[in-house]
């Protein structure tokens, strides 16, 4: 197996070569930090999305889903704090003209110190940075960069500008005539679409607290330093759920959702030792508790999902700005209150990258006689883009007809792939490379006794079973 950097590069190349993820508008040399999902990537993404949607809405009787618009009234973003506070401190190197996120620059130095086993200095620097970031002390951050002699990786100089805040929201104009047009934003998160619909859903759905509203949708952030493939994009998808609760029950529900969400990560095939909670040390002023679920990507442990106990901050702010009462009458205790909220917020694209990183294997299959290897994506079967490949051994002798018949039986039930071309070994390898859990080969014996060979992706074991058993075997594995 290649080292971690090599492994990450290999995953990116594999994604492109096998139709999972392409750079956006590649014929025009791509667009930075924007990606398109190809024929297999879009299936994988959809399967992850469906799994999340089902686990949230179908399996929780008190959670419903919505699909709010990307454009929202501009006041939404004033109420949510994004207009004033959704920014990152940045610094430019005057020689290379390269712009950096200040925290990334300092974190790179912390990594260096840790690698050099200078743990004390590393944690001291981390503390200093956290303190300055929390205080919004931009001059202090610049001083810290200078004190640490941090240089630009491109120019090699420390000729820095002052530190400035950059808002991450994209804005555009609503309306066709410039004078009439008003500035609106592309939403930087899906959560606000849930908060502004709290009353609509609660009333029309006759929802009783505790209840949740879930949503999957696009979000946009003008990330200044976009890197690491689909880990940090400018256009991405989020899967968010706001769980509305009675004040005073937030500790209990926060613990419930931490456990439920971690369990969901394990269902994606993530091993326990590669997932961890990271508690936020510094909380937003309104927050009661917050943590991230991190995954050990080829570039280290990084956030995939956030779980936040947000008190009644968001609904209170919308009540204040909209002058509409965001209250709920709890008839069990005969009281009106603005509900508290536990939020779970996961990036769909980051989850795709997590699943791909976990699934990607390079295997050496060499024998003393002959060198051999394969790349295999060991997806949990329910997430695999294609569930079953149907492969007649030859193009003649009636084998394609039998294979086609199996295809017709299976394709309404799950995603199948039919192929007659090339030697069977080659076809198996192609299916391994896109993570198809089962391949069925129809051969001459099938004509005699209606049995086929089913090949299991991970073990490469083959067994002879009745052709009629195939749909059942696949359905059992993908449920
Ligand atoms: P980060 O610290 O990595 O910038 P964040 O804490 O700002 O992330 P949240 O605002 O909590 O992220 O968003 C919830 C989730 O949305 C994140 O856990 C992540 O999975 C996803 N996400 C956020 N920003 C991006 C991005 N630019 N590209 C892809 N996914 C993202």
């Amino acid at each position: 197996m290649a080292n971690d950097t090599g492994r990450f590069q290999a995953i990116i190349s594999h994604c492109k070569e096998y139709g999972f993820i392409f750079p956006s508008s590649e014929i025009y040399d791509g667009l930075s930090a924007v990606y398109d999902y190809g024929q297999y990537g879009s299936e994988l993404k959809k399967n992850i999305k469906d799994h999340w949607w089902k686990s949230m809405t179908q399996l929780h009787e008190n959670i419903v889903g919505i699909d709010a618009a990307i454009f929202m009234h501009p006041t939404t973003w004033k109420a949510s704090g994004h207009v004033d506070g959704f920014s990152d401190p940045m610094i430019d190197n005057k020689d290379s003209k390269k712009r950096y996120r200040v925290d990334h620059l300092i974190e790179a130095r912390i990594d260096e110190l840790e690698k050099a086993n200078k743990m004390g200095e590393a944690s001291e620097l981390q503390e200093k940075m956290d303190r300055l970031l929390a205080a919004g002390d931009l001059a202090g951050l610049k001083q810290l960069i200078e004190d640490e002699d941090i240089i630009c990786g491109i120019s090699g100089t420390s000729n820095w500008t002052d530190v400035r805040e950059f808002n991450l929201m994209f804005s555009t104009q609503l309306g066709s005539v410039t004078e009439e047009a008003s500035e609106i934003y592309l939403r930087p998160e899906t959560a606000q679409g849930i908060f502004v619909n709290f009353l609509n859903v609660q009333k029309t759905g006759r929802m009783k607290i505790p209840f949740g509203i879930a949503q999957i949708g696009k979000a946009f952030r003008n990330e200044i330093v976009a890197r690491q493939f689909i880990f940090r994009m400018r256009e991405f998808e989020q899967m968010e759920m706001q769980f509305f609760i009675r004040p005073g029950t937030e500790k209990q529900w926060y613990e419930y959702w931490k456990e439920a969400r971690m369990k969901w990560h394990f269902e994606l095939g993530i091993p326990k030792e590669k997932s961890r909670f990271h508690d936020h040390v510094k909380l937003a002023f309104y927050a009661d508790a917050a943590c991230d679920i991190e995954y050990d990507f080829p570039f280290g442990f990084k956030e995939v999902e956030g779980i936040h106990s947000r008190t009644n901050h968001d609904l209170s702010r919308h009540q204040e700005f909209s002058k509409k009462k965001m209250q709920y009458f709890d008839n069990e205790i005969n009281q009106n209150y603005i509900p508290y909220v536990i939020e779970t917020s996961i990036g769909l694209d980051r989850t795709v990258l997590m699943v791909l990183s976990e699934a990607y294997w390079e295997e050496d299959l060499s024998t003393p006689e002959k060198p051999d290897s394969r790349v295999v994506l060991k997806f949990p079967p329910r997430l695999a883009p294609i569930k079953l490949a149907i492969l007649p051994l030859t193009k003649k002798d009636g084998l394609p007809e039998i294979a086609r018949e199996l295809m017709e039986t299976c394709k309404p039930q799950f995603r199948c792939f039919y192929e007659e071309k090339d030697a069977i070994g080659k076809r198996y390898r192609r299916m391994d490379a896109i993570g198809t859990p089962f391949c069925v080969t129809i051969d001459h014996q099938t004509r005699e006794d209606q049995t086929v060979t089913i090949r299991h992706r991970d073990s490469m074991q083959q067994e002879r079973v009745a052709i009629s058993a195939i749909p059942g075997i696949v359905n059992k594995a993908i449920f």
Side-chain angles (χ1 to χ4, degrees):
M1 184 70 69
N3 65 27
D4 279 359
T5 317
R7 183 174 146 77
F8 187 43
Q9 286 312 319
I11 292 169
I12 298 172
S13 309
H14 189 84
C15 282
K16 179 151 182 259
E17 191 179 340
Y18 285 91
F20 282 85
I21 299 162
F22 309 121
S24 156
S25 22
E26 200 190 2
I27 57 168
Y28 297 106
D29 295 335
L31 185 64
S32 160
V34 186
Y35 290 91
D36 295 341
Y37 286 83
Q39 64 277 27
Y40 298 124
S42 55
E43 290 287 339
L44 172 66
K45 188 174 165 192
K46 184 176 174 303
N47 293 340
I48 293 173
K49 211 187 304 200
D50 288 349
H51 181 47
W52 184 88
W53 191 255
K54 180 175 173 190
S55 75
M56 281 296 175
T57 63
Q58 191 173 326
L59 298 181
H60 286 94
E61 293 169 35
N62 57 353
I63 301 182
V64 291
I66 62 164
D67 184 8
I70 287 171
F71 292 146
M72 300 182 70
H73 193 284
T75 309
T76 310
W77 306 111
K78 290 212 178 82
S80 70
H82 284 82
V83 170
D84 295 325
F86 193 53
S87 55
D88 282 333
M90 302 284 171
I91 194 165
D92 293 17
N93 183 271
K94 289 183 195 162
D95 299 319
S96 66
K97 311 271 182 270
K98 180 122 177 70
R99 180 164 292 165
Y100 294 91
R101 250 175 77 169
V102 167
D103 57 337
H104 287 167
L105 215 50
I106 300 172
E107 272 164 12
R109 165 55 48 92
I110 294 170
D111 278 353
E112 277 170 26
L113 290 169
E114 282 174 351
K115 283 201 186 102
N117 233 347
K118 297 182 177 167
M119 297 321 228
E121 283 175 52
S123 68
E124 202 181 308
L125 181 55
Q126 179 83 49
E127 273 171 36
K128 273 190 197 158
M129 177 180 81
D130 288 347
R131 217 175 321 115
L132 293 166
L133 283 172
D137 183 348
L138 303 185
L141 285 164
K142 176 160 186 202
Q143 193 58 50
L144 190 59
I145 289 172
E146 285 175 348
D147 291 349
E148 289 293 320
D149 284 329
I150 296 177
I151 53 165
C152 163
I154 295 170
S155 66
T157 70
S158 53
N159 192 7
W160 298 110
T161 60
D162 284 342
V163 175
R164 282 170 293 171
E165 292 277 2
F166 284 85
N167 194 294
L168 299 182
M169 283 197 293
F170 283 101
S171 64
T172 186
Q173 304 292 320
L174 188 76
S176 51
V177 186
T178 333
E179 307 87 69
E180 283 174 10
S182 57
E183 188 181 37
I184 56 164
Y185 299 102
L186 297 187
R187 65 182 178 197
E189 62 172 34
T190 57
Q192 299 306 321
I194 294 179
F195 289 122
V196 299
N197 278 298
F198 164 72
L199 286 178
N200 283 338
V201 174
Q202 192 274 318
K203 295 219 157 85
T204 58
R206 301 186 8 262
M207 308 299 291
K208 276 199 167 334
I209 269 176
F211 75 91
I213 305 179
Q215 173 166 228
I216 301 176
K218 289 270 188 179
F220 303 82
R221 295 183 187 179
N222 197 4
E223 301 277 5
I224 304 300
V225 186
R227 54 182 183 180
Q228 286 157 333
F229 194 37
I230 56 169
F231 181 81
R232 189 173 299 285
M233 302 158 90
R234 296 205 164 100
E235 172 182 341
F236 57 100
E237 249 175 291
Q238 289 185 315
M239 307 190 286
E240 298 198 291
M241 194 277 301
Q242 312 293 325
F243 199 68
F244 299 94
I245 55 174
R246 185 185 291 168
T249 62
E250 59 274 16
K251 294 262 174 308
Q252 154 204 342
W253 283 113
Y254 179 66
E255 291 307 322
Y256 171 88
W257 281 110
K258 269 179 76 172
E259 196 188 318
R261 293 307 303 147
M262 189 57 108
K263 198 163 147 251
W264 187 85
H265 284 242
F266 297 150
E267 284 168 17
L268 298 182
I270 307 304
K272 287 205 164 74
E273 66 279 9
K274 293 184 81 174
S275 235
R276 71 178 186 197
F277 287 114
H278 171 80
D279 288 323
H280 289 200
V281 190
K282 270 180 203 55
L283 298 175
F285 69 92
Y286 52 81
D288 174 65
C291 68
D292 298 331
I293 296 181
E294 295 183 338
Y295 168 72
D296 191 5
F297 286 98
F299 41 87
F301 271 102
K302 292 274 184 262
E303 169 181 350
V304 179
E305 173 159 11
I307 301 162
H308 310 126
S309 175
R310 302 180 61 90
T311 66
N312 61 7
H313 174 72
D314 306 84
L315 288 179
S316 302
R317 292 278 292 182
H318 285 301
Q319 173 165 298
E320 183 188 333
F321 279 73
S322 69
K323 312 272 184 288
K324 305 274 179 338
K325 280 219 172 322
M326 295 288 165
Q327 299 225 331
Y328 172 84
F329 180 71
D330 191 331
N331 54 20
E332 274 177 32
I333 52 170
N334 241 346
Q335 260 181 38
N336 254 317
Y337 55 77
I338 301 181
Y340 272 36
V341 167
I342 307 293
E343 167 183 82
T344 73
S345 170
I346 183 166
L348 176 53
D349 311 87
R350 273 189 203 179
T351 312
V352 170
L353 185 58
M354 170 170 81
V355 168
L356 277 165
S357 304
E358 199 52 46
Y360 181 90
W361 288 93
E362 293 169 9
E363 287 182 352
D364 184 359
L365 306 172
S366 300
T367 58
E369 294 76 45
K370 142 165 140 350
D372 195 8
S373 66
R374 69 166 180 164
V375 172
V376 52
L377 298 182
K378 296 185 175 178
F379 296 129
R382 60 145 76 101
L383 301 183
I386 305 286
K387 314 295 188 206
L388 174 69
I390 300 177
L391 314 170
L393 192 62
T394 66
K395 287 187 195 164
K396 46 187 202 307
D397 304 332
L399 304 187
E401 286 74 10
I402 304 174
R404 277 273 163 218
E405 213 176 294
L406 180 62
M407 184 78 185
E408 290 309 311
T409 310
C410 292
K411 78 181 183 194
Q413 303 179 49
F414 41 77
R415 197 83 156 77
C416 304
F417 185 86
Y418 178 90
E419 194 172 45
E420 294 175 354
K421 221 170 141 271
D422 290 331
I424 200 75
K426 256 193 174 170
R427 284 185 264 169
Y428 284 158
R429 287 289 188 280
R430 281 202 290 268
M431 287 299 118
D432 288 343
I434 61 164
T436 304
F438 301 105
C439 292
V440 159
T441 307
I442 285 94
D443 57 18
H444 292 90
Q445 194 185 328
T446 313
R447 286 194 322 195
E448 312 297 314
D449 62 5
Q450 286 78 50
T451 63
V452 290
T453 304
I454 184 163
R455 174 186 181 270
H456 300 267
R457 177 197 63 201
D458 298 353
S459 63
M460 294 192 291
Q461 299 268 305
Q462 303 187 13
E463 51 176 331
R464 197 90 207 165
V465 298
I467 195 165
S468 57
I470 296 297
I473 293 173
V474 179
N475 274 319
K476 185 160 172 248
I478 64 177
F479 184 69

